[in-house]
Amino acid sequence: MSENASIKLNDRNLEFPVIVGSEGEKAIDLRTLRSDSGGCITFDEGYGNTGSCVSNVTFIDGDAGILRYRGYPIEQLAQHSSFVETAYLVIHGELPTVEQYAAFSARLREQAGIHERMLHLFEGYPRDAHPMAILSAMVNSLACYDPHLATNDHNRDLENFEEASAIALSKVRTIAAVAYRMSRGLPVNYSNKDLKYCENFLHMMFSDPFSPYTASPEVARAMNLILLLHADHEQNCSTSTVRMVASSGANLFASTSAGISALWGPLHGGANVAVIGMLRSIHEQGDDGSRFIEAAKSGKARLMGFGHRVYKNFDPRAKIIAQGCEELLDSLGLTDPLLDIARRLAEAALDDPYFLERKLYPNVDFYSGIMMRAIGIPLNMFTVMFAIGRMPGWIANWHEVAADQNSRIYRPRQIYQGPVKREYVSIKERT
Ligand code: CMC
């Protein structure tokens, strides 16, 4: 039986239908609120209670610590799948058959290189340019090299979706590797068609003339895990940005480029960099973590890599990555003092009423940086890795917006609390 919700506004009763998701989650459908109420809107700063869309990509139950891509639990994908297979799932909705997987991989391989003229663009950046700025600019620039795939007419862009999405997913890692090589003054490595996605990325990052880099199976597995765990996360800040930009009719490259910019901030993808900065400073100060926890509790610091808008029990990605981190370090025979500090911080925080009451638990970023350090990824590339991993989710969400024939431009409203009407005063008369 369908449910209704009613809102009493002064002495008027307004009725609204309730939408139910496939996992039983509910939303009051307020699309007619403004017209029915004579101008009243909802106010939900930060959108904590707002469903901005209907989506079929990812399901999260934050209270139960559940994350599923297209219905598949993240734990199963992390154990059995690869980043490319998961990317196919996220983008296309189903796990690929052998033939579909082969065709998808072939498209990614074909698209790995970047236009020679585009390579010159990188030369204009200063050595210390941030790779997130370069990544965002270059992904947007992809539209210039294949304008027929980026017409800003969703129906036409959808006809070429397979090619455009393969370009975005494949070239994002090539751009990342080129940005890294150029920042170090190192020669750029061309893609090697014989290598798989992650191995090829690591080759483009770390091979040197006369000294090819070959990723060990453990490192390749770790890289797959990091990217796969980031592949989608429903309506987070960057994905909502992608959908917002897409809703204006913008092409895939422009929309995902905006997602990269949104990801950069320390409260989102930039948290993986901030976590390492925090752990390093705790280490350098000889703190065992307890002083930092006190600072976080008094509001003087924020425990980076902790807390999540949606997860209020645990972040399932953090559990998986914490274990992956231990396994990688063991297999490489490495120790990292930052991992010890992270473990101590997590134990202390998980025993502390401040964190328990606020339901603050380690999130995916708490451990991912330690894993990336072990692989040799430099700190300023951590958020770039997140962006490469998130590309399938951005692509899938762009596709949902573009393919929805009833989609409207995203255009929230506001409550204005600025000055009321006043008359212009000439500059000479202003005091
Ligand atoms: N350390 C200490 N206190 C915290 C933290 C933290 N990391 N996060 C939240 N709180 C406190 C906050 O001060 C507030 O306390 P009070 O009720 O006394 O005012 C309460 O917990 C609620 O916090 P909030 O800021 O209202 O929560 P939010 O849902 O707006 O923010 C968050 C979520 C992830 C931005 C936040 O927890 C945070 O800043 N965490 C650190 C940054 C981080 O790790 N970000 C990565 C998120 S996971 C990757 C991704 O998907 O982007």
CSV table of all heavy atoms in Angstrom, one decimal, residues 381-411:
chain,number,residue,atom,x,y,z
A,381,MET,N,49.8,13.0,-4.8
A,381,MET,CA,49.1,12.2,-5.8
A,381,MET,C,48.0,11.4,-5.1
A,381,MET,O,47.2,10.7,-5.8
A,381,MET,CB,50.0,11.3,-6.5
A,381,MET,CG,51.0,11.9,-7.5
A,381,MET,SD,50.2,12.6,-9.0
A,381,MET,CE,49.9,11.0,-9.8
A,382,PHE,N,47.9,11.4,-3.8
A,382,PHE,CA,46.9,10.6,-3.2
A,382,PHE,C,45.4,10.9,-3.6
A,382,PHE,O,44.7,10.0,-3.9
A,382,PHE,CB,46.9,10.7,-1.6
A,382,PHE,CG,48.1,10.1,-1.0
A,382,PHE,CD1,49.1,9.5,-1.7
A,382,PHE,CD2,48.1,10.0,0.4
A,382,PHE,CE1,50.2,8.9,-1.0
A,382,PHE,CE2,49.2,9.4,1.1
A,382,PHE,CZ,50.2,8.8,0.3
A,383,THR,N,45.1,12.2,-3.7
A,383,THR,CA,43.7,12.5,-4.1
A,383,THR,C,43.5,12.2,-5.6
A,383,THR,O,42.4,11.9,-6.0
A,383,THR,CB,43.4,14.0,-3.7
A,383,THR,OG1,43.8,14.2,-2.4
A,383,THR,CG2,41.9,14.2,-3.8
A,384,VAL,N,44.6,12.3,-6.3
A,384,VAL,CA,44.5,11.9,-7.7
A,384,VAL,C,44.1,10.4,-7.8
A,384,VAL,O,43.3,10.0,-8.7
A,384,VAL,CB,45.9,12.1,-8.4
A,384,VAL,CG1,45.9,11.5,-9.8
A,384,VAL,CG2,46.1,13.6,-8.5
A,385,MET,N,44.7,9.6,-7.0
A,385,MET,CA,44.4,8.1,-7.0
A,385,MET,C,42.9,7.9,-6.7
A,385,MET,O,42.2,7.1,-7.3
A,385,MET,CB,45.2,7.4,-5.9
A,385,MET,CG,46.7,7.5,-6.1
A,385,MET,SD,47.2,7.1,-7.7
A,385,MET,CE,46.7,5.5,-7.9
A,386,PHE,N,42.4,8.7,-5.7
A,386,PHE,CA,40.9,8.7,-5.4
A,386,PHE,C,40.1,9.0,-6.7
A,386,PHE,O,39.1,8.4,-7.0
A,386,PHE,CB,40.7,9.7,-4.3
A,386,PHE,CG,39.4,9.6,-3.6
A,386,PHE,CD1,39.2,9.9,-2.2
A,386,PHE,CD2,38.2,9.1,-4.2
A,386,PHE,CE1,38.0,9.9,-1.6
A,386,PHE,CE2,37.0,9.1,-3.6
A,386,PHE,CZ,36.9,9.5,-2.2
A,387,ALA,N,40.6,10.0,-7.4
A,387,ALA,CA,39.9,10.5,-8.6
A,387,ALA,C,39.8,9.4,-9.7
A,387,ALA,O,38.8,9.2,-10.3
A,387,ALA,CB,40.5,11.8,-9.1
A,388,ILE,N,41.0,8.7,-9.8
A,388,ILE,CA,41.0,7.6,-10.8
A,388,ILE,C,40.0,6.6,-10.4
A,388,ILE,O,39.2,6.1,-11.2
A,388,ILE,CB,42.4,7.0,-10.9
A,388,ILE,CG1,43.4,8.1,-11.4
A,388,ILE,CG2,42.4,5.8,-11.9
A,388,ILE,CD1,44.9,7.6,-11.3
A,389,GLY,N,40.0,6.2,-9.1
A,389,GLY,CA,39.1,5.2,-8.6
A,389,GLY,C,37.6,5.6,-8.8
A,389,GLY,O,36.8,4.8,-9.1
A,390,ARG,N,37.3,6.9,-8.6
A,390,ARG,CA,35.9,7.3,-8.6
A,390,ARG,C,35.4,7.5,-10.0
A,390,ARG,O,34.2,7.7,-10.2
A,390,ARG,CB,35.8,8.6,-7.7
A,390,ARG,CG,34.4,9.2,-7.5
A,390,ARG,CD,33.4,8.3,-6.9
A,390,ARG,NE,33.8,7.6,-5.7
A,390,ARG,CZ,33.7,8.1,-4.4
A,390,ARG,NH1,33.1,9.2,-4.3
A,390,ARG,NH2,34.1,7.3,-3.4
A,391,MET,N,36.2,7.5,-11.0
A,391,MET,CA,35.8,7.8,-12.3
A,391,MET,C,34.6,6.9,-12.8
A,391,MET,O,33.6,7.4,-13.4
A,391,MET,CB,37.0,7.7,-13.3
A,391,MET,CG,36.7,8.2,-14.7
A,391,MET,SD,36.0,9.8,-14.8
A,391,MET,CE,37.4,10.9,-14.9
A,392,PRO,N,34.6,5.6,-12.5
A,392,PRO,CA,33.4,4.8,-12.9
A,392,PRO,C,32.1,5.3,-12.3
A,392,PRO,O,31.1,5.4,-13.0
A,392,PRO,CB,33.7,3.4,-12.4
A,392,PRO,CG,35.2,3.4,-12.2
A,392,PRO,CD,35.6,4.8,-11.8
A,393,GLY,N,32.1,5.7,-11.1
A,393,GLY,CA,30.9,6.2,-10.4
A,393,GLY,C,30.5,7.5,-11.0
A,393,GLY,O,29.3,7.8,-11.3
A,394,TRP,N,31.4,8.4,-11.3
A,394,TRP,CA,31.0,9.7,-12.0
A,394,TRP,C,30.4,9.4,-13.4
A,394,TRP,O,29.5,10.0,-13.7
A,394,TRP,CB,32.3,10.6,-12.1
A,394,TRP,CG,32.8,11.1,-10.8
A,394,TRP,CD1,32.1,11.3,-9.6
A,394,TRP,CD2,34.1,11.5,-10.5
A,394,TRP,NE1,32.9,11.8,-8.7
A,394,TRP,CE2,34.2,12.0,-9.2
A,394,TRP,CE3,35.3,11.6,-11.3
A,394,TRP,CZ2,35.3,12.5,-8.6
A,394,TRP,CZ3,36.5,12.1,-10.7
A,394,TRP,CH2,36.5,12.5,-9.4
A,395,ILE,N,31.1,8.5,-14.1
A,395,ILE,CA,30.6,8.2,-15.4
A,395,ILE,C,29.1,7.6,-15.3
A,395,ILE,O,28.2,8.0,-16.1
A,395,ILE,CB,31.5,7.1,-16.1
A,395,ILE,CG1,32.9,7.8,-16.4
A,395,ILE,CG2,30.9,6.6,-17.4
A,395,ILE,CD1,33.9,6.8,-16.9
A,396,ALA,N,28.9,6.7,-14.4
A,396,ALA,CA,27.6,6.1,-14.3
A,396,ALA,C,26.5,7.1,-13.9
A,396,ALA,O,25.4,7.1,-14.4
A,396,ALA,CB,27.6,5.0,-13.2
A,397,ASN,N,26.9,8.0,-13.0
A,397,ASN,CA,26.0,9.1,-12.6
A,397,ASN,C,25.7,10.1,-13.7
A,397,ASN,O,24.6,10.6,-13.9
A,397,ASN,CB,26.4,9.7,-11.3
A,397,ASN,CG,26.0,8.9,-10.1
A,397,ASN,OD1,24.9,9.1,-9.5
A,397,ASN,ND2,26.9,8.0,-9.6
A,398,TRP,N,26.8,10.4,-14.5
A,398,TRP,CA,26.5,11.3,-15.6
A,398,TRP,C,25.6,10.6,-16.6
A,398,TRP,O,24.6,11.3,-17.1
A,398,TRP,CB,27.9,11.5,-16.4
A,398,TRP,CG,27.7,12.4,-17.6
A,398,TRP,CD1,27.7,13.8,-17.6
A,398,TRP,CD2,27.4,12.0,-18.9
A,398,TRP,NE1,27.5,14.2,-18.9
A,398,TRP,CE2,27.3,13.1,-19.7
A,398,TRP,CE3,27.2,10.7,-19.5
A,398,TRP,CZ2,27.0,13.1,-21.1
A,398,TRP,CZ3,26.9,10.7,-20.9
A,398,TRP,CH2,26.8,11.8,-21.6
A,399,HIS,N,25.7,9.3,-16.8
A,399,HIS,CA,24.9,8.6,-17.7
A,399,HIS,C,23.4,8.6,-17.2
A,399,HIS,O,22.5,8.8,-18.1
A,399,HIS,CB,25.4,7.1,-17.9
A,399,HIS,CG,24.7,6.4,-19.0
A,399,HIS,ND1,23.4,5.8,-18.8
A,399,HIS,CD2,25.0,6.2,-20.3
A,399,HIS,CE1,23.1,5.2,-19.9
A,399,HIS,NE2,24.0,5.5,-20.8
A,400,GLU,N,23.2,8.4,-15.9
A,400,GLU,CA,21.8,8.5,-15.4
A,400,GLU,C,21.2,9.8,-15.7
A,400,GLU,O,20.0,9.8,-16.1
A,400,GLU,CB,21.8,8.2,-13.9
A,400,GLU,CG,21.9,6.7,-13.6
A,400,GLU,CD,21.6,6.4,-12.1
A,400,GLU,OE1,21.5,7.3,-11.3
A,400,GLU,OE2,21.3,5.2,-11.8
A,401,VAL,N,21.9,10.9,-15.5
A,401,VAL,CA,21.3,12.2,-15.8
A,401,VAL,C,21.1,12.4,-17.3
A,401,VAL,O,20.0,12.8,-17.7
A,401,VAL,CB,22.2,13.3,-15.3
A,401,VAL,CG1,21.7,14.7,-15.6
A,401,VAL,CG2,22.4,13.2,-13.8
A,402,ALA,N,22.1,12.0,-18.1
A,402,ALA,CA,22.0,12.2,-19.5
A,402,ALA,C,20.8,11.4,-20.1
A,402,ALA,O,20.2,11.8,-21.1
A,402,ALA,CB,23.3,11.9,-20.2
A,403,ALA,N,20.7,10.2,-19.6
A,403,ALA,CA,19.7,9.3,-20.2
A,403,ALA,C,18.3,9.5,-19.7
A,403,ALA,O,17.3,9.0,-20.3
A,403,ALA,CB,20.1,7.8,-19.9
A,404,ASP,N,18.1,10.3,-18.7
A,404,ASP,CA,16.8,10.6,-18.2
A,404,ASP,C,16.1,11.6,-19.0
A,404,ASP,O,16.4,12.8,-18.9
A,404,ASP,CB,16.9,11.0,-16.7
A,404,ASP,CG,15.6,11.3,-16.0
A,404,ASP,OD1,14.5,11.2,-16.7
A,404,ASP,OD2,15.6,11.6,-14.9
A,405,GLN,N,15.1,11.2,-19.8
A,405,GLN,CA,14.4,12.2,-20.7
A,405,GLN,C,13.6,13.2,-19.9
A,405,GLN,O,13.3,14.3,-20.4
A,405,GLN,CB,13.5,11.4,-21.6
A,405,GLN,CG,14.2,10.5,-22.6
A,405,GLN,CD,15.3,11.2,-23.5
A,405,GLN,OE1,15.1,12.4,-23.8
A,405,GLN,NE2,16.4,10.6,-23.7
A,406,ASN,N,13.3,12.9,-18.6
A,406,ASN,CA,12.6,13.9,-17.8
A,406,ASN,C,13.5,14.7,-16.9
A,406,ASN,O,13.0,15.5,-16.1
A,406,ASN,CB,11.6,13.1,-16.9
A,406,ASN,CG,10.6,12.4,-17.7
A,406,ASN,OD1,10.1,12.9,-18.7
A,406,ASN,ND2,10.3,11.1,-17.3
A,407,SER,N,14.8,14.5,-17.1
A,407,SER,CA,15.7,15.2,-16.2
A,407,SER,C,15.6,16.8,-16.3
A,407,SER,O,15.5,17.3,-17.5
A,407,SER,CB,17.1,14.8,-16.5
A,407,SER,OG,18.1,15.7,-16.1
A,408,ARG,N,15.6,17.5,-15.2
A,408,ARG,CA,15.5,18.9,-15.2
A,408,ARG,C,16.9,19.5,-14.8
A,408,ARG,O,17.6,18.8,-14.0
A,408,ARG,CB,14.4,19.4,-14.3
A,408,ARG,CG,13.1,18.9,-14.6
A,408,ARG,CD,12.1,19.4,-13.5
A,408,ARG,NE,11.8,20.8,-13.6
A,408,ARG,CZ,11.3,21.5,-12.6
A,408,ARG,NH1,11.2,20.9,-11.4
A,408,ARG,NH2,11.1,22.8,-12.7
A,409,ILE,N,17.2,20.7,-15.1
A,409,ILE,CA,18.4,21.3,-14.6
A,409,ILE,C,18.3,21.3,-13.1
A,409,ILE,O,17.3,21.6,-12.5
A,409,ILE,CB,18.6,22.7,-15.2
A,409,ILE,CG1,20.0,23.2,-14.9
A,409,ILE,CG2,17.6,23.7,-14.8
A,409,ILE,CD1,20.5,24.3,-15.7
A,410,TYR,N,19.4,21.0,-12.4
A,410,TYR,CA,19.5,21.1,-10.9
A,410,TYR,C,19.6,22.5,-10.5
A,410,TYR,O,20.5,23.2,-10.9
A,410,TYR,CB,20.7,20.4,-10.4
A,410,TYR,CG,20.7,18.8,-10.4
A,410,TYR,CD1,19.8,18.1,-11.2
A,410,TYR,CD2,21.5,18.1,-9.5
A,410,TYR,CE1,19.8,16.7,-11.2
A,410,TYR,CE2,21.5,16.7,-9.5
A,410,TYR,CZ,20.6,16.0,-10.4
A,410,TYR,OH,20.6,14.7,-10.4
A,411,ARG,N,18.6,23.0,-9.8
A,411,ARG,CA,18.6,24.4,-9.4
A,411,ARG,C,17.9,24.6,-8.1
A,411,ARG,O,16.7,24.8,-8.0
A,411,ARG,CB,17.8,25.1,-10.6
A,411,ARG,CG,18.1,26.6,-10.8
A,411,ARG,CD,18.2,27.4,-9.5
A,411,ARG,NE,18.2,28.8,-9.7
A,411,ARG,CZ,18.1,29.6,-8.7
A,411,ARG,NH1,17.9,29.2,-7.5
A,411,ARG,NH2,18.2,30.9,-8.9
